[in-house]
Each structure stands twice: as structure tokens, then as C-alpha cells.
Amino acid sequence: MAERYTLENRRHIEQSERGFAESMLGKTYTVRVYARYKNTARGTVVINGNDGYSVHTAYIICASGDIGTFVDGTAVGILMDDRSGAFSMVLSEADRDEQLWMQYQIAEAVDYWESDNTFKIYCLREKSCGAVVYTESGNERRYLIIRMNLGHCGLPKGHIEKYETEEETAIREVREETGVDITLIEGFRKSVVYSLSSRTTKESVYFLGRFDGDGVKIQEAEVSSYRLCSYEQARRIITYENDRTILDAAEELLREREASQKASVSTVS
């Protein structure tokens, strides 16, 4: 740590700061405020120049009035990250001739935002897609039920990734968690909506998928075990009622289609 404060290092830091200040000449910036506390605020600053733009953290001191976005603030300090070289700008809303900021004032304002009082981002809505997965051998239908590492038993599902459709997510999540490739059965899509917390609502969408064979290989990072079992057995081991309701709907559809096929065969005969 002592080497950090040698004369050579201090000169290097001063040159870097001077170089940064000179690089800001001729550029404009716009600040957007995201959170306020007393006479300070925190947001982001977008620096615009001929070579493009960059976005950095901004601390606004003595912010007053209804501030959404303000332009042409005065930079009174630069916070440099010694390792990454990233920086945050400390801005004053007041004109430079009207207000001089002491070092302790800047330190106190920034310290507040760098403490445990920083804002958090909450997900208001989540969405997962999965499938009721089954396989058939002769007249026997067996459902694939998984036990998660968290302890509950249910149907494979997971979050949608960018640009995916619901069906693509269901197929991918089943493959990732169980190692099987499923073919979706047309005409089945069920959705349940429930609250994860006072802030977050989650929707789980389920399809119906069939696979051939017993080649199940669980994803041990999330799944601890699995079972291929009858409809009645699956209902007993599933943890949540929502999953049982989805399973019931899948079994009902498959039975209806079996009955319809038998009726068609009888009619032809």
C-alpha cells in the first residue's frame, strides 16, 4: 500500500487527472437522476463528443427543484477506480461562481451513495416456460417428474432468454434439466400466475411434450433426482397444487384424444 503514495505515483495520478480534464474540453454531457436524498442525488452522466459518447455514474450535490434531466452541470470532482480506470463524476447544480465545494462536503455526499443506501432493482414480473413431459411404452404412459435441489418436486421449466418464443424456452429448459428432447403436442398451453413476493408476480407457462426412450440425464446443478411414473404416482409426489392442476389438464387431454382415436377406429371397422 505504501507504494501507492510515492511521489512518482502521485505525479502519475496528477497527469492522468489533468489528461482527463483536457479530454473533456469541447464535450457536453447530460445527467439523468434516478434517486434523491436531501440535497444530493445520484444518476448517470452521458458524455457526448465527436468520438461518440460514454456513460458514467453521476453524483449531484445540492440538487433542488423537480429534477428529471438537467444539462450543463459543473463538474467539481472525479472519482477514479484505481484498478479498472472507470470514473464517476461529482457534479454541482449551482454555477461555479456561486458555490465552492469543500472536499469534506463532496466526500460526505458520495459516501452516502456508496454505503448501504444505494438503490436496488426489483423485477416486477417474471415469466418461465416448461412442459408436462411424458413417454409411452405399449399402453403405459409415464410422466417425468424432477426433484429440484431446493427440495420440491414438479415439472421442468425455466426463464425465457432473449429472442426466444415460449415453445423454444420450454424445449430448451426440458433438455437442459433432464437431457431429453421433446416433441410438443399441439393444442396444449396452460398458464398459472402467482406472487413470488409483495413486489413480484410470476407467470409459468406449460406445454405438453413427448419423448421416446429412457435417456434421462439430469442437470445436477439444479436437479437432484427424477422419476418416471404413472399419472397417479406423479400427482402424489408433486409438491405444488399448481403443478398438479397442469398435470391433470395434460392427462385429461391425452385421455380425450385416446378415446377419440378408439371411436374413430370403431367407426371405420
Side-chain angles (χ1 to χ4, degrees):
M1 293 295 291
E3 293 182 359
R4 181 178 178 182
Y5 300 103
T6 63
L7 178 60
E8 181 180 354
N9 284 341
R10 289 178 60 185
R11 285 176 176 171
H12 176 72
I13 292 173
E14 290 173 359
Q15 290 173 356
S16 298
E17 292 175 346
R18 188 182 309 114
F20 172 80
E22 291 174 352
S23 71
M24 289 293 294
L25 294 176
K27 295 185 178 180
T28 61
Y29 59 84
T30 302
V31 176
R32 183 169 297 277
V33 173
Y34 292 115
R36 298 183 60 189
Y37 174 74
K38 294 183 178 179
N39 67 332
T40 65
R42 180 179 180 177
T44 55
V45 56
V46 180
I47 302 174
N48 301 286
N50 294 330
D51 54 347
Y53 70 92
S54 57
V55 182
H56 307 274
T57 300
Y59 302 91
I60 298 89
I61 301 174
C62 196
S64 60
D66 295 327
I67 299 176
T69 300
F70 72 90
V71 185
D72 296 332
T74 301
V76 295
I78 302 296
L79 306 179
M80 301 290 294
D81 187 305
D82 292 337
R83 294 191 177 185
S84 68
F87 67 90
S88 302
M89 299 183 65
V90 182
L91 306 174
S92 169
E93 188 190 6
D95 185 85
R96 185 174 304 184
D97 295 333
E98 297 177 3
Q99 180 71 58
L100 294 177
W101 294 103
M102 303 299 292
Q103 183 175 353
Y104 79 89
Q105 292 176 299
I106 297 173
E108 288 177 354
V110 172
D111 181 66
Y112 172 83
W113 293 111
E114 293 298 321
S115 67
D116 292 335
N117 297 300
T118 54
F119 57 83
K120 298 179 180 179
I121 298 175
Y122 294 94
C123 179
L124 301 181
R125 294 182 179 86
E126 287 189 17
K127 187 174 185 179
S128 293
C129 295
V132 181
V133 180
Y134 74 98
T135 184
E136 290 182 329
S137 177
N139 295 325
E140 183 183 14
R141 179 163 52 246
R142 295 182 298 169
Y143 288 97
L144 177 57
I145 306 300
I146 60 176
R147 179 183 294 277
M148 307 301 293
N149 289 335
L150 295 177
H152 62 277
C153 294
L155 309 171
K157 71 176 186 297
H159 291 101
I160 292 181
E161 293 186 355
K162 192 174 183 179
Y163 302 127
E164 277 187 334
T165 65
E166 293 178 343
E167 293 84 353
E168 289 170 342
T169 298
I171 293 172
R172 175 183 55 77
E173 286 292 338
V174 170
R175 183 188 304 114
E176 289 179 355
E177 292 186 351
T178 69
V180 301
D181 290 310
I182 59 173
T183 300
L184 297 184
I185 307 301
E186 293 185 3
F188 188 93
R189 180 190 181 277
K190 299 296 181 181
S191 173
V192 293
V193 179
Y194 51 97
S195 297
L196 289 178
S197 67
S198 59
R199 295 185 178 93
T200 305
T201 299
K202 182 167 184 176
E203 179 185 17
S204 293
V205 177
Y206 292 95
F207 297 92
L208 179 58
R210 174 177 174 169
F211 75 100
D212 297 322
D214 296 328
V216 181
K217 185 176 181 181
I218 60 174
Q219 181 187 48
E220 295 181 354
E222 296 185 31
V223 183
S224 62
S225 61
Y226 76 94
R227 284 188 65 180
L228 284 169
C229 48
S230 67
Y231 164 66
E232 290 77 13
Q233 292 172 330
R235 284 198 98 259
R236 286 197 295 270
I237 65 176
I238 286 177
T239 303
Y240 298 120
E241 185 61 32
N242 283 337
D243 284 0
R244 278 192 287 271
T245 300
I246 299 298
L247 176 68
D248 292 343
E251 176 70 9
E252 180 180 359
L253 175 66
L254 292 174
R255 288 183 179 182
E256 288 177 354
R257 293 192 174 183
E258 288 173 350
S260 177
Q261 289 174 357
K262 290 179 180 179
S264 298
V265 171
S266 298
T267 301
V268 172
S269 300

